[in-house]
Amino acid sequence: MAEEVYESVICVKPEVHVYRIPPRASNRGYRAADWKLDEPAWSGRLRITAKGNVAFIKLEDKTSGELFAQAPVEQYPGTVVEAVTDSSRYFVVRIEDGNGRHAFIGLGFADRGDSFDFNVALQDHFKWVRQESELAKQEANQSTAPRLDLGFKEGQTIKINIGNIKKKDNPPAGASKSRPAGGGLLPPPPGAKGGAFVPPPGAPNPAPSAQPPSAALLDFGESPGNAKPSADLWGDFTTAASSGGNGGSNDAVHSGWVQF
């Protein structure tokens, strides 16, 4: 079933005049000054319709809409519609009666803007016709041309490279975190006395002094002989204490502290 073509209206002007024109004496073109512009042969309404690629200029009665004459236009500019040489408001139009007979009439607009719209409506229609023809040719060429096979072949892969993304390396399972190597000293163990002597750099570390256990310091029931310090530990302090009386012991104590 053939697709039905609809007729659309592309321009309507409420007032237009028709003139009888004399035969053209030469090829110089038509002149509106040669017409009797003050005595139009007919006045009415103009309507331009489009059906497919053909435009129809229809002259109709203002009141009843009865068709007075029409001119099928298949090309513009062309021989069906010609502009006069001395005015932009007048045209020469070839009308047809549908039986193969035609005649040339003068067509004029009272307003210059109406004549401009009449001209533009015909230009736009045939511009659209040319575009549709070019699109149809392109589609016909594409249908006959071999199609490109853009699908993936068997086993074919693509690689996508996305920049500026750093992959974080995950440590192996069970691996302990490495302890940062630092030059700081370890904190003292619990119970250690503050203010411990720190040897200067390069000096040999002194041997740690033997400290009596806390049980020995708190045991007051031991005999004085067991609690007596050794001579090596107290040195001159014990010697000076055993040399005299109370005054001498005091002097020995002071002299012993001085010797230290």
Side-chain angles (χ1 to χ4, degrees):
M1 182 177 179
E3 184 180 356
E4 186 176 359
V5 180
Y6 296 94
E7 186 177 15
S8 59
V9 178
I10 58 178
C11 183
V12 176
K13 292 301 173 185
E15 185 176 7
V16 68
H17 305 291
V18 174
Y19 302 93
R20 293 186 179 91
I21 60 175
R24 184 163 52 179
S26 62
N27 294 329
R28 65 178 184 176
Y30 292 98
R31 296 179 68 252
D34 298 335
W35 309 343
K36 296 180 180 180
L37 299 179
D38 55 346
E39 298 178 2
W42 180 87
S43 296
R45 179 181 65 189
L46 177 140
R47 194 159 58 98
I48 302 178
T49 63
K51 190 173 183 179
N53 296 338
V54 182
F56 295 89
I57 301 173
K58 296 183 178 183
L59 304 176
E60 301 170 344
D61 186 81
K62 292 182 180 180
T63 306
S64 62
E66 182 181 359
L67 181 64
F68 171 74
Q70 73 173 358
V73 183
E74 298 181 356
Q75 184 179 357
Y76 185 80
T79 58
V80 178
V81 180
E82 296 183 48
V84 299
T85 59
D86 57 345
S87 177
S88 61
R89 295 189 293 116
Y90 298 93
F91 301 87
V92 175
V93 179
R94 188 183 69 176
I95 59 176
E96 297 180 3
D97 61 355
N99 297 322
R101 295 181 300 179
H102 65 272
F104 290 93
I105 60 172
L107 186 68
F109 297 91
D111 186 77
R112 197 176 301 276
D114 292 342
S115 64
F116 176 80
D117 295 341
F118 170 80
N119 189 23
V120 170
L122 292 174
Q123 288 179 353
D124 289 346
H125 171 73
F126 287 98
K127 181 180 179 180
W128 172 82
V129 170
R130 289 191 296 270
Q131 291 176 350
E132 290 293 318
S133 178
E134 292 176 359
L135 290 176
K137 290 180 181 179
Q138 292 178 2
E139 291 178 357
N141 294 335
Q142 291 178 358
S143 61
T144 56
R147 295 178 178 239
L148 295 177
D149 186 9
L150 301 179
F152 285 100
K153 306 299 186 295
E154 183 177 358
Q156 185 179 4
T157 59
I158 61 174
K159 182 179 180 181
I160 300 176
N161 186 12
I162 302 177
N164 298 330
I165 295 180
K166 295 181 179 180
K167 183 178 179 183
K168 179 182 283 188
D169 296 333
N170 294 326
S176 60
K177 296 183 178 179
S178 61
R179 181 177 298 175
L185 298 176
L186 295 177
K193 295 182 179 181
F197 173 74
V198 178
N205 294 330
S209 60
Q211 295 184 4
S214 58
L217 294 176
L218 298 176
D219 189 4
F220 294 98
E222 266 188 66
S223 60
N226 294 334
K228 182 180 180 181
S230 64
D232 295 337
L233 178 62
W234 296 102
D236 294 338
F237 180 77
T238 57
T239 306
S242 61
S243 62
N246 292 335
S249 64
N250 290 336
D251 295 338
V253 170
H254 290 292
S255 62
W257 283 112
V258 171
Q259 288 180 6
F260 280 104

